[in-house]
Amino acid sequence: MMNVRVGQLGLHDTHFVNPHGLDVDGHYSSAYDLASLAWYALHLPAFNQIVSQVTHVAPGHSLLNTNELLTRYDGADGIKTGLTDNAGLCLVGSATRDGRRLISVVLNAPRWYADTEAILDYGYAKLAFETDGAGAEALSGSQRGAGTGLVGQAGDGEAPAMPALPPGPQAGGRRAPP
């Protein structure tokens, strides 16, 4: 189902072999695709709330988010750290300032937090330079030939409508929920 969804999003540099992202042959993604997936997921209120929490207390458990960006970068509100032998240190970061959300992706980055902070600082500096934001560079699905409507403004409402997954068996031999 995950591979069907990235296809529906027009992302062609991602292929999932497992749901957890641990190293296995044939499992890969690009920085562009990860940023696009993050942008889409951040429109889902539950996802947005979960990735922005530093801690969460569940019955019998106290959970700590390993994403240090949340406590060390002004406006940080997500998203996900990663580390595998093949991928190295990876971070999909997000920050919101003055109603503008930026997403950063660093892969195999030994200085993952410093690199993410530098990318976000660069993005906010570009936005500040253009008072109306019109001259700021934007990552757009059309620049990559992906489906239109993939990229939009922070807080522009619900996630874009997606086609339903096809009925019948999906990857892993499971059926899609009705």
Side-chain angles (χ1 to χ4, degrees), residues 73 102 115-128 137:
Y73 190 81
L102 299 180
D115 292 346
T116 297
E117 292 166 357
I119 291 168
L120 293 171
D121 284 346
Y122 174 81
Y124 283 115
K126 291 285 282 185
L127 287 171
E137 298 172 41

Side-chain angles (χ1 to χ4, degrees), residues 27-169:
H27 188 99
Y28 58 87
S29 191
S30 68
Y32 177 89
D33 284 7
L34 291 172
S36 298
L37 287 168
W39 177 86
Y40 181 83
L42 286 168
H43 284 78
L44 306 172
F47 179 86
N48 204 8
Q49 179 185 11
I50 290 167
V51 300
S52 65
Q53 291 183 13
V54 175
T55 61
H56 178 75
V57 177
H61 300 282
S62 179
L63 306 171
L64 177 64
N65 190 332
T66 61
N67 183 358
E68 294 177 19
L69 189 67
L70 294 172
T71 58
R72 60 187 276 174
Y73 190 81
D74 183 37
D77 50 17
I79 296 176
K80 176 73 175 87
T81 62
L83 168 63
T84 68
D85 289 341
N86 289 342
L89 292 168
C90 302
L91 177 59
V92 179
S94 171
T96 302
R97 293 183 184 167
D98 299 323
R100 295 184 183 256
R101 174 173 259 160
L102 299 180
I103 296 170
S104 167
V105 177
V106 295
L107 306 175
N108 195 18
R111 296 172 18 98
W112 57 345
Y113 289 112
D115 292 346
T116 297
E117 292 166 357
I119 291 168
L120 293 171
D121 284 346
Y122 174 81
Y124 283 115
K126 291 285 282 185
L127 287 171
F129 181 72
E130 298 290 334
T131 57
D132 64 356
E137 298 172 41
L139 181 65
S140 141
S142 62
Q143 290 173 317
R144 290 282 309 267
T148 60
L150 183 60
V151 178
Q153 292 290 336
D156 62 358
E158 297 180 17
M162 290 298 304
L165 292 171

